[in-house]
Amino acid sequence: PAPQSPTYDLHDGGIAVVTLDDGRANAMSSAVVQGLEAALDRAAADRARAVVVVGRPGRFSAGFDLAEMTAGLESMRNLVVAGARWMLRLYGYGAPTVAACTGHSLAGGALTLLSCDVRIGADAPAKIGLNEVAIGMPLPKFAVELARDRLATAALGPSTIGAAVYDPAGAVAAGYLDRVVPADRVLDEALAEARRLAELRTGAYAQTKRNLRGAMIERVLAELVEDVAGVEGPEV
C-alpha cells in the first residue's frame, strides 16, 4: 500500500513538520489537500511556532493529481480551488513557514514553494517551475499573483507565460528558492531556519505578514471560484 501522505509531527521547540511522501511523485489529490488543511489545523491547535513542509527524497511535489485534473472540468476546477485555498492559507499563515524542497517541484508544487516564507532546496538534479502553459493549461490568477509577489521581476514573464523550468541554482535566481544546500542536509537546514524564525515575536510576525500579504490574499480569494471557472484543464 502507498504511504499515508501528508503526515504531521510536532518537533521540539514547537516546530510542526508536514511531510509529503506517497512513495511516488507526491501529487496533490483532493484527499492530499484535505490532509494539508488538517495539518495546518493541527499546527494551529498545537500553537506551533513554525511550520516546515518537506517532500520525499528527490520529489517535493509534482503538483495537482493528473487523474483528477483530467477526469472532467468539474473535477479539475474543484481540485484547483481547494488547492488554491490551502496555498493562500499557507501564504498568510501567522507562524513562519519553511519549505524543504527535496527535489522536483512543478506546477502546484512550485506554487507551494511560493507560498512558504523561506524555501531551502536540495542540491540535486531537479526540475522546479510553473509548467502549466507548456501542457496547455492557463495559469489561474491566484498562481500569477503568487508568482508576481515572490519571483524576481526578470523571471516573472519567462516563469509564467514562458513555462520556464529551472534547476535548483536557477530556481534560486528566479525566486522559487532562497538557497540550496547538500541534499542530505535539506531537512536539517529547514528545521534550523524554522527554529531561528520561531524565536521572533509571534504576534509581530503574524501582523506584519497580514500587512504584507493580506490585501492580495483577500482579493484573490474573492474572485477565486469565478477565475477558476474559466480555466481549461491540461492537454493529455
Side-chain angles (χ1 to χ4, degrees), residues 64 80 84 87-88 91 107-108 110-112 114-115 129-133 137-153 155-163 174-176 216-217 219-221 223-224 227-228 231:
F64 293 128
V80 172
M87 291 167 190
L88 291 167
Y91 192 47
L111 290 171
T112 301
L114 297 179
S115 301
L130 299 170
N131 65 330
E132 281 86 347
V133 169
M137 182 178 177
L139 276 174
K141 290 180 182 178
F142 86 89
V144 170
E145 292 306 316
L146 280 171
R148 195 191 312 277
D149 265 12
R150 304 306 304 279
L151 294 180
T153 301
L156 181 59
S159 297
T160 54
I161 300 169
Y176 289 103
M216 184 278 270
I217 292 170
R219 183 179 71 253
V220 170
L221 284 174
E223 61 182 11
L224 178 62
D227 173 32
V228 175
V231 172

Side-chain angles (χ1 to χ4, degrees), residues 10 20-21 27 32 36 48 72 74 91 101 103 112 115 118-119 133 147 150 153 183 187 199-200 209 222:
L10 188 66
L20 290 163
D21 185 359
V32 169
L36 290 167
E74 183 178 5
Y91 192 47
C101 183
T112 301
S115 301
V118 179
R119 297 74 46 84
V133 169
R150 304 306 304 279
T153 301
L187 179 56
E199 294 178 358
L200 298 173
K209 189 186 286 191

Side-chain angles (χ1 to χ4, degrees), residues 3 44 58 63 85 96 121 138-140 142 158 169 177-178 189 204 209 223 226 229-230:
R85 285 178 173 150
L139 276 174
F142 86 89
L177 299 176
D178 293 297
E189 292 285 342
K209 189 186 286 191
E223 61 182 11
E226 180 182 1

Side-chain angles (χ1 to χ4, degrees), residues 18-224:
V18 181
T19 303
L20 290 163
D21 185 359
D22 62 5
R24 301 185 298 277
N26 281 346
M28 294 180 178
S29 64
S30 294
V32 169
V33 173
Q34 290 172 7
L36 290 167
E37 289 279 11
L40 284 187
D41 290 342
R42 289 187 64 181
D46 288 339
R47 296 186 178 180
R49 295 189 62 84
V51 176
V52 173
V53 182
V54 60
R56 61 190 293 266
R59 300 286 189 277
F60 183 71
S61 174
F64 293 128
D65 181 72
L66 187 59
E68 288 190 50
M69 292 293 286
T70 58
L73 285 177
E74 183 178 5
S75 172
M76 179 273 292
R77 290 168 179 165
N78 287 342
L79 177 58
V80 172
V81 166
R85 285 178 173 150
W86 176 75
M87 291 167 190
L88 291 167
R89 180 184 179 190
L90 183 65
Y91 192 47
Y93 192 74
T97 57
V98 181
C101 183
T102 45
H104 298 304
S105 185
L106 294 169
L111 290 171
T112 301
L113 295 179
L114 297 179
S115 301
C116 289
D117 299 341
V118 179
R119 297 74 46 84
I120 299 172
D123 186 10
K127 296 179 179 180
I128 299 170
L130 299 170
N131 65 330
E132 281 86 347
V133 169
I135 60 174
M137 182 178 177
L139 276 174
K141 290 180 182 178
F142 86 89
V144 170
E145 292 306 316
L146 280 171
R148 195 191 312 277
D149 265 12
R150 304 306 304 279
L151 294 180
T153 301
L156 181 59
S159 297
T160 54
I161 300 169
V165 172
Y166 304 89
D167 63 12
V172 172
Y176 289 103
L177 299 176
D178 293 297
R179 65 180 185 270
V180 171
V181 301
D184 61 355
R185 291 287 305 163
V186 65
L187 179 56
D188 288 342
E189 292 285 342
L191 288 169
E193 180 68 14
R195 292 188 183 101
R196 183 188 72 79
L197 292 171
E199 294 178 358
L200 298 173
R201 298 291 293 271
T202 55
Y205 193 96
Q207 182 62 51
T208 302
K209 189 186 286 191
R210 282 193 295 272
N211 292 343
L212 180 65
R213 301 174 179 169
M216 184 278 270
I217 292 170
E218 290 179 9
R219 183 179 71 253
V220 170
L221 284 174
E223 61 182 11
L224 178 62

